[in-house]
Amino acid sequence: MHTARDGFEQVLAAHAIAAEAIDAIVVHTDAALLRDFMDAAPLSINDAQFSFPYTLAALALRLSCPHWYDEENMASPALMALAARVTGRVDVEDILDVIFADFCIGK
């Protein structure tokens, strides 16, 4: 999860992208991370800490990290709207690696 967050933070810094200009954020990762960390509307601080959509939206909105989980930010319409535009994608190569990890021809 930290790799996606750190990479997104670098992109935002390098290109000065305004949150309002972001139509979509697509996280490329493995299926397990997408299954476990794609809650776009977390209800608790713990859930928000482990949410790609929430943390990436907080970064895009340039919220101060110590305040990401303040009550007002957890309920922020701007943060929730941007978090809803975060999706995930598993690359085909990753799926093939999982399928063929234990598959062997000729034994």
Side-chain angles (χ1 to χ4, degrees), residues 2 6 9 11 13 19 28-29 32-33 36 38 43 47-48 50 59 62 72-73 75-76 79 82 96-98 103:
H2 291 282
D6 294 345
E9 190 169 28
V11 168
H28 292 254
T29 190
L33 288 177
D36 295 338
M38 287 303 293
L43 298 176
D47 290 343
F50 294 99
L59 276 172
R62 303 322 193 263
E72 68 226 29
N73 289 328
S76 165
L79 196 149
L82 186 51
L96 293 175
D97 287 345
V98 170
F103 184 76

PDB file of all heavy atoms in Angstrom, residues 2 6 9 11 13 19 28-29 32-33 36 38 43 47-48 50 59 62 72-73 75-76 79 82 96-98 103:
ATOM      1  N   HIS A   2       1.988   1.197   0.722  1.00  0.00           N
ATOM      2  CA  HIS A   2       2.849   2.383   0.805  1.00  0.00           C
ATOM      3  C   HIS A   2       3.482   2.727  -0.538  1.00  0.00           C
ATOM      4  O   HIS A   2       3.720   3.901  -0.826  1.00  0.00           O
ATOM      5  CB  HIS A   2       3.929   2.189   1.868  1.00  0.00           C
ATOM      6  CG  HIS A   2       3.371   2.179   3.253  1.00  0.00           C
ATOM      7  ND1 HIS A   2       3.014   3.324   3.911  1.00  0.00           N
ATOM      8  CD2 HIS A   2       3.081   1.152   4.088  1.00  0.00           C
ATOM      9  CE1 HIS A   2       2.533   3.022   5.094  1.00  0.00           C
ATOM     10  NE2 HIS A   2       2.559   1.714   5.228  1.00  0.00           N
ATOM     11  N   ASP A   6       3.265   6.405  -1.915  1.00  0.00           N
ATOM     12  CA  ASP A   6       4.499   7.161  -2.144  1.00  0.00           C
ATOM     13  C   ASP A   6       4.624   7.579  -3.612  1.00  0.00           C
ATOM     14  O   ASP A   6       5.018   8.708  -3.913  1.00  0.00           O
ATOM     15  CB  ASP A   6       5.719   6.340  -1.730  1.00  0.00           C
ATOM     16  CG  ASP A   6       5.778   6.083  -0.228  1.00  0.00           C
ATOM     17  OD1 ASP A   6       5.051   6.752   0.535  1.00  0.00           O
ATOM     18  OD2 ASP A   6       6.549   5.186   0.173  1.00  0.00           O
ATOM     19  N   GLU A   9       2.213  10.410  -4.330  1.00  0.00           N
ATOM     20  CA  GLU A   9       2.713  11.635  -3.712  1.00  0.00           C
ATOM     21  C   GLU A   9       3.811  12.266  -4.583  1.00  0.00           C
ATOM     22  O   GLU A   9       3.839  13.490  -4.769  1.00  0.00           O
ATOM     23  CB  GLU A   9       3.242  11.326  -2.316  1.00  0.00           C
ATOM     24  CG  GLU A   9       3.558  12.517  -1.485  1.00  0.00           C
ATOM     25  CD  GLU A   9       3.825  12.151  -0.036  1.00  0.00           C
ATOM     26  OE1 GLU A   9       4.281  11.033   0.246  1.00  0.00           O
ATOM     27  OE2 GLU A   9       3.588  13.021   0.821  1.00  0.00           O
ATOM     28  N   VAL A  11       4.152  11.887  -7.880  1.00  0.00           N
ATOM     29  CA  VAL A  11       3.509  12.408  -9.089  1.00  0.00           C
ATOM     30  C   VAL A  11       2.861  13.762  -8.802  1.00  0.00           C
ATOM     31  O   VAL A  11       3.006  14.709  -9.579  1.00  0.00           O
ATOM     32  CB  VAL A  11       2.464  11.408  -9.647  1.00  0.00           C
ATOM     33  CG1 VAL A  11       1.591  12.051 -10.713  1.00  0.00           C
ATOM     34  CG2 VAL A  11       3.159  10.174 -10.188  1.00  0.00           C
ATOM     35  N   ALA A  13       3.648  15.929  -6.517  1.00  0.00           N
ATOM     36  CA  ALA A  13       4.682  16.929  -6.273  1.00  0.00           C
ATOM     37  C   ALA A  13       5.368  17.350  -7.573  1.00  0.00           C
ATOM     38  O   ALA A  13       5.628  18.534  -7.791  1.00  0.00           O
ATOM     39  CB  ALA A  13       5.709  16.388  -5.283  1.00  0.00           C
ATOM     40  N   ALA A  19      -6.326  18.737  -7.117  1.00  0.00           N
ATOM     41  CA  ALA A  19      -7.293  17.658  -6.861  1.00  0.00           C
ATOM     42  C   ALA A  19      -8.516  17.790  -7.767  1.00  0.00           C
ATOM     43  O   ALA A  19      -9.050  16.791  -8.244  1.00  0.00           O
ATOM     44  CB  ALA A  19      -7.712  17.675  -5.396  1.00  0.00           C
ATOM     45  N   HIS A  28      -2.716   0.203  -9.716  1.00  0.00           N
ATOM     46  CA  HIS A  28      -2.309  -1.081 -10.286  1.00  0.00           C
ATOM     47  C   HIS A  28      -1.588  -1.864  -9.190  1.00  0.00           C
ATOM     48  O   HIS A  28      -0.525  -1.444  -8.721  1.00  0.00           O
ATOM     49  CB  HIS A  28      -1.369  -0.873 -11.475  1.00  0.00           C
ATOM     50  CG  HIS A  28      -2.030  -0.253 -12.643  1.00  0.00           C
ATOM     51  ND1 HIS A  28      -2.352  -0.972 -13.766  1.00  0.00           N
ATOM     52  CD2 HIS A  28      -2.461   1.010 -12.876  1.00  0.00           C
ATOM     53  CE1 HIS A  28      -2.935  -0.172 -14.642  1.00  0.00           C
ATOM     54  NE2 HIS A  28      -3.013   1.047 -14.110  1.00  0.00           N
ATOM     55  N   THR A  29      -2.181  -2.964  -8.788  1.00  0.00           N
ATOM     56  CA  THR A  29      -1.587  -3.769  -7.716  1.00  0.00           C
ATOM     57  C   THR A  29      -2.106  -5.192  -7.815  1.00  0.00           C
ATOM     58  O   THR A  29      -2.775  -5.547  -8.783  1.00  0.00           O
ATOM     59  CB  THR A  29      -1.873  -3.138  -6.338  1.00  0.00           C
ATOM     60  OG1 THR A  29      -1.093  -3.803  -5.338  1.00  0.00           O
ATOM     61  CG2 THR A  29      -3.345  -3.188  -5.975  1.00  0.00           C
ATOM     62  N   ALA A  32      -5.109  -9.311  -4.022  1.00  0.00           N
ATOM     63  CA  ALA A  32      -5.321  -9.331  -2.571  1.00  0.00           C
ATOM     64  C   ALA A  32      -5.373  -7.915  -1.999  1.00  0.00           C
ATOM     65  O   ALA A  32      -6.227  -7.609  -1.156  1.00  0.00           O
ATOM     66  CB  ALA A  32      -4.227 -10.137  -1.891  1.00  0.00           C
ATOM     67  N   LEU A  33      -4.486  -7.052  -2.461  1.00  0.00           N
ATOM     68  CA  LEU A  33      -4.512  -5.676  -1.970  1.00  0.00           C
ATOM     69  C   LEU A  33      -5.775  -4.952  -2.413  1.00  0.00           C
ATOM     70  O   LEU A  33      -6.359  -4.183  -1.645  1.00  0.00           O
ATOM     71  CB  LEU A  33      -3.272  -4.913  -2.431  1.00  0.00           C
ATOM     72  CG  LEU A  33      -1.966  -5.313  -1.756  1.00  0.00           C
ATOM     73  CD1 LEU A  33      -0.797  -4.536  -2.349  1.00  0.00           C
ATOM     74  CD2 LEU A  33      -2.028  -5.099  -0.257  1.00  0.00           C
ATOM     75  N   ASP A  36      -8.624  -6.066  -0.195  1.00  0.00           N
ATOM     76  CA  ASP A  36      -8.575  -5.655   1.205  1.00  0.00           C
ATOM     77  C   ASP A  36      -8.502  -4.145   1.446  1.00  0.00           C
ATOM     78  O   ASP A  36      -8.810  -3.685   2.540  1.00  0.00           O
ATOM     79  CB  ASP A  36      -7.373  -6.306   1.893  1.00  0.00           C
ATOM     80  CG  ASP A  36      -7.495  -7.818   1.958  1.00  0.00           C
ATOM     81  OD1 ASP A  36      -8.626  -8.344   1.865  1.00  0.00           O
ATOM     82  OD2 ASP A  36      -6.448  -8.480   2.102  1.00  0.00           O
ATOM     83  N   MET A  38      -9.692  -1.306  -0.709  1.00  0.00           N
ATOM     84  CA  MET A  38     -10.394  -0.417  -1.644  1.00  0.00           C
ATOM     85  C   MET A  38     -11.678   0.182  -1.073  1.00  0.00           C
ATOM     86  O   MET A  38     -12.562   0.579  -1.809  1.00  0.00           O
ATOM     87  CB  MET A  38     -10.697  -1.157  -2.952  1.00  0.00           C
ATOM     88  CG  MET A  38      -9.480  -1.399  -3.830  1.00  0.00           C
ATOM     89  SD  MET A  38      -8.568   0.091  -4.286  1.00  0.00           S
ATOM     90  CE  MET A  38      -9.760   0.919  -5.325  1.00  0.00           C
ATOM     91  N   LEU A  43     -15.484   3.926   7.590  1.00  0.00           N
ATOM     92  CA  LEU A  43     -16.277   4.434   8.706  1.00  0.00           C
ATOM     93  C   LEU A  43     -15.454   4.685   9.962  1.00  0.00           C
ATOM     94  O   LEU A  43     -15.927   5.329  10.888  1.00  0.00           O
ATOM     95  CB  LEU A  43     -17.407   3.449   9.025  1.00  0.00           C
ATOM     96  CG  LEU A  43     -18.403   3.222   7.889  1.00  0.00           C
ATOM     97  CD1 LEU A  43     -19.418   2.154   8.282  1.00  0.00           C
ATOM     98  CD2 LEU A  43     -19.095   4.523   7.517  1.00  0.00           C
ATOM     99  N   ASP A  47     -10.048   1.846   9.360  1.00  0.00           N
ATOM    100  CA  ASP A  47     -10.400   1.527   7.970  1.00  0.00           C
ATOM    101  C   ASP A  47      -9.819   2.557   7.005  1.00  0.00           C
ATOM    102  O   ASP A  47      -9.362   2.209   5.918  1.00  0.00           O
ATOM    103  CB  ASP A  47     -11.920   1.464   7.797  1.00  0.00           C
ATOM    104  CG  ASP A  47     -12.545   0.268   8.493  1.00  0.00           C
ATOM    105  OD1 ASP A  47     -11.810  -0.687   8.840  1.00  0.00           O
ATOM    106  OD2 ASP A  47     -13.769   0.291   8.699  1.00  0.00           O
ATOM    107  N   ALA A  48      -9.829   3.829   7.396  1.00  0.00           N
ATOM    108  CA  ALA A  48      -9.297   4.887   6.532  1.00  0.00           C
ATOM    109  C   ALA A  48      -7.797   4.730   6.317  1.00  0.00           C
ATOM    110  O   ALA A  48      -7.293   4.957   5.219  1.00  0.00           O
ATOM    111  CB  ALA A  48      -9.610   6.252   7.129  1.00  0.00           C
ATOM    112  N   PHE A  50      -6.171   2.095   6.039  1.00  0.00           N
ATOM    113  CA  PHE A  50      -5.920   0.976   5.125  1.00  0.00           C
ATOM    114  C   PHE A  50      -6.817   1.053   3.896  1.00  0.00           C
ATOM    115  O   PHE A  50      -7.252   0.032   3.376  1.00  0.00           O
ATOM    116  CB  PHE A  50      -6.103  -0.350   5.866  1.00  0.00           C
ATOM    117  CG  PHE A  50      -5.082  -0.543   6.942  1.00  0.00           C
ATOM    118  CD1 PHE A  50      -5.381  -0.273   8.263  1.00  0.00           C
ATOM    119  CD2 PHE A  50      -3.792  -0.948   6.627  1.00  0.00           C
ATOM    120  CE1 PHE A  50      -4.429  -0.422   9.260  1.00  0.00           C
ATOM    121  CE2 PHE A  50      -2.831  -1.105   7.607  1.00  0.00           C
ATOM    122  CZ  PHE A  50      -3.153  -0.840   8.930  1.00  0.00           C
ATOM    123  N   LEU A  59      -4.129  12.740   0.038  1.00  0.00           N
ATOM    124  CA  LEU A  59      -2.903  13.268  -0.575  1.00  0.00           C
ATOM    125  C   LEU A  59      -3.227  14.294  -1.657  1.00  0.00           C
ATOM    126  O   LEU A  59      -2.625  15.368  -1.699  1.00  0.00           O
ATOM    127  CB  LEU A  59      -2.083  12.139  -1.200  1.00  0.00           C
ATOM    128  CG  LEU A  59      -1.157  11.351  -0.296  1.00  0.00           C
ATOM    129  CD1 LEU A  59      -0.577  10.164  -1.055  1.00  0.00           C
ATOM    130  CD2 LEU A  59      -0.054  12.224   0.242  1.00  0.00           C
ATOM    131  N   ARG A  62      -4.108  17.596  -0.556  1.00  0.00           N
ATOM    132  CA  ARG A  62      -3.007  18.226   0.186  1.00  0.00           C
ATOM    133  C   ARG A  62      -3.352  18.437   1.667  1.00  0.00           C
ATOM    134  O   ARG A  62      -2.985  19.450   2.265  1.00  0.00           O
ATOM    135  CB  ARG A  62      -2.599  19.563  -0.418  1.00  0.00           C
ATOM    136  CG  ARG A  62      -2.153  19.699  -1.878  1.00  0.00           C
ATOM    137  CD  ARG A  62      -1.381  18.734  -2.488  1.00  0.00           C
ATOM    138  NE  ARG A  62      -0.753  19.033  -3.758  1.00  0.00           N
ATOM    139  CZ  ARG A  62      -1.261  18.680  -4.933  1.00  0.00           C
ATOM    140  NH1 ARG A  62      -2.448  18.154  -5.035  1.00  0.00           N
ATOM    141  NH2 ARG A  62      -0.555  18.847  -6.033  1.00  0.00           N
ATOM    142  N   GLU A  72     -13.672  16.105  10.780  1.00  0.00           N
ATOM    143  CA  GLU A  72     -14.123  16.902   9.626  1.00  0.00           C
ATOM    144  C   GLU A  72     -13.600  16.346   8.301  1.00  0.00           C
ATOM    145  O   GLU A  72     -14.282  16.377   7.279  1.00  0.00           O
ATOM    146  CB  GLU A  72     -13.732  18.370   9.773  1.00  0.00           C
ATOM    147  CG  GLU A  72     -12.238  18.599   9.685  1.00  0.00           C
ATOM    148  CD  GLU A  72     -11.700  19.509  10.770  1.00  0.00           C
ATOM    149  OE1 GLU A  72     -12.268  19.548  11.862  1.00  0.00           O
ATOM    150  OE2 GLU A  72     -10.694  20.166  10.486  1.00  0.00           O
ATOM    151  N   ASN A  73     -12.381  15.817   8.300  1.00  0.00           N
ATOM    152  CA  ASN A  73     -11.840  15.234   7.070  1.00  0.00           C
ATOM    153  C   ASN A  73     -12.490  13.891   6.753  1.00  0.00           C
ATOM    154  O   ASN A  73     -12.727  13.572   5.582  1.00  0.00           O
ATOM    155  CB  ASN A  73     -10.321  15.100   7.151  1.00  0.00           C
ATOM    156  CG  ASN A  73      -9.638  16.439   7.078  1.00  0.00           C
ATOM    157  OD1 ASN A  73     -10.114  17.360   6.424  1.00  0.00           O
ATOM    158  ND2 ASN A  73      -8.520  16.568   7.769  1.00  0.00           N
ATOM    159  N   ALA A  75     -15.415  13.161   7.148  1.00  0.00           N
ATOM    160  CA  ALA A  75     -16.754  13.434   6.597  1.00  0.00           C
ATOM    161  C   ALA A  75     -16.722  14.423   5.435  1.00  0.00           C
ATOM    162  O   ALA A  75     -17.777  14.851   4.961  1.00  0.00           O
ATOM    163  CB  ALA A  75     -17.651  13.967   7.706  1.00  0.00           C
ATOM    164  N   SER A  76     -15.553  14.777   4.959  1.00  0.00           N
ATOM    165  CA  SER A  76     -15.419  15.797   3.919  1.00  0.00           C
ATOM    166  C   SER A  76     -16.042  15.355   2.594  1.00  0.00           C
ATOM    167  O   SER A  76     -15.643  14.336   2.022  1.00  0.00           O
ATOM    168  CB  SER A  76     -13.933  16.101   3.689  1.00  0.00           C
ATOM    169  OG  SER A  76     -13.742  16.802   2.481  1.00  0.00           O
ATOM    170  N   LEU A  79     -13.326  15.038  -0.102  1.00  0.00           N
ATOM    171  CA  LEU A  79     -12.506  13.839   0.048  1.00  0.00           C
ATOM    172  C   LEU A  79     -13.294  12.606  -0.379  1.00  0.00           C
ATOM    173  O   LEU A  79     -12.779  11.751  -1.114  1.00  0.00           O
ATOM    174  CB  LEU A  79     -12.017  13.708   1.489  1.00  0.00           C
ATOM    175  CG  LEU A  79     -10.859  12.735   1.678  1.00  0.00           C
ATOM    176  CD1 LEU A  79      -9.973  13.187   2.831  1.00  0.00           C
ATOM    177  CD2 LEU A  79     -11.335  11.336   1.915  1.00  0.00           C
ATOM    178  N   LEU A  82     -13.644  12.438  -4.232  1.00  0.00           N
ATOM    179  CA  LEU A  82     -12.413  12.015  -4.907  1.00  0.00           C
ATOM    180  C   LEU A  82     -12.112  10.552  -4.606  1.00  0.00           C
ATOM    181  O   LEU A  82     -11.716   9.796  -5.500  1.00  0.00           O
ATOM    182  CB  LEU A  82     -11.245  12.911  -4.490  1.00  0.00           C
ATOM    183  CG  LEU A  82      -9.925  12.691  -5.218  1.00  0.00           C
ATOM    184  CD1 LEU A  82     -10.091  12.705  -6.743  1.00  0.00           C
ATOM    185  CD2 LEU A  82      -8.904  13.727  -4.787  1.00  0.00           C
ATOM    186  N   LEU A  96      -1.418 -14.201 -14.353  1.00  0.00           N
ATOM    187  CA  LEU A  96      -0.727 -15.361 -14.911  1.00  0.00           C
ATOM    188  C   LEU A  96       0.345 -15.890 -13.964  1.00  0.00           C
ATOM    189  O   LEU A  96       0.526 -17.102 -13.840  1.00  0.00           O
ATOM    190  CB  LEU A  96      -0.119 -15.014 -16.274  1.00  0.00           C
ATOM    191  CG  LEU A  96      -1.131 -14.728 -17.383  1.00  0.00           C
ATOM    192  CD1 LEU A  96      -0.401 -14.283 -18.650  1.00  0.00           C
ATOM    193  CD2 LEU A  96      -2.000 -15.931 -17.670  1.00  0.00           C
ATOM    194  N   ASP A  97       1.047 -15.002 -13.279  1.00  0.00           N
ATOM    195  CA  ASP A  97       2.049 -15.438 -12.307  1.00  0.00           C
ATOM    196  C   ASP A  97       1.411 -16.273 -11.203  1.00  0.00           C
ATOM    197  O   ASP A  97       1.960 -17.287 -10.775  1.00  0.00           O
ATOM    198  CB  ASP A  97       2.764 -14.238 -11.683  1.00  0.00           C
ATOM    199  CG  ASP A  97       3.736 -13.561 -12.640  1.00  0.00           C
ATOM    200  OD1 ASP A  97       4.076 -14.180 -13.686  1.00  0.00           O
ATOM    201  OD2 ASP A  97       4.148 -12.420 -12.347  1.00  0.00           O
ATOM    202  N   VAL A  98       0.245 -15.867 -10.746  1.00  0.00           N
ATOM    203  CA  VAL A  98      -0.449 -16.618  -9.695  1.00  0.00           C
ATOM    204  C   VAL A  98      -0.917 -17.970 -10.219  1.00  0.00           C
ATOM    205  O   VAL A  98      -0.728 -19.008  -9.574  1.00  0.00           O
ATOM    206  CB  VAL A  98      -1.647 -15.817  -9.135  1.00  0.00           C
ATOM    207  CG1 VAL A  98      -2.512 -16.670  -8.230  1.00  0.00           C
ATOM    208  CG2 VAL A  98      -1.160 -14.575  -8.420  1.00  0.00           C
ATOM    209  N   PHE A 103       2.463 -24.487 -11.393  1.00  0.00           N
ATOM    210  CA  PHE A 103       2.182 -25.294 -12.571  1.00  0.00           C
ATOM    211  C   PHE A 103       3.496 -25.636 -13.259  1.00  0.00           C
ATOM    212  O   PHE A 103       4.331 -24.776 -13.499  1.00  0.00           O
ATOM    213  CB  PHE A 103       1.287 -24.501 -13.535  1.00  0.00           C
ATOM    214  CG  PHE A 103       0.860 -25.275 -14.734  1.00  0.00           C
ATOM    215  CD1 PHE A 103      -0.130 -26.235 -14.657  1.00  0.00           C
ATOM    216  CD2 PHE A 103       1.461 -25.037 -15.968  1.00  0.00           C
ATOM    217  CE1 PHE A 103      -0.537 -26.930 -15.762  1.00  0.00           C
ATOM    218  CE2 PHE A 103       1.070 -25.732 -17.094  1.00  0.00           C
ATOM    219  CZ  PHE A 103       0.057 -26.689 -16.994  1.00  0.00           C
TER     220      PHE A 103
END
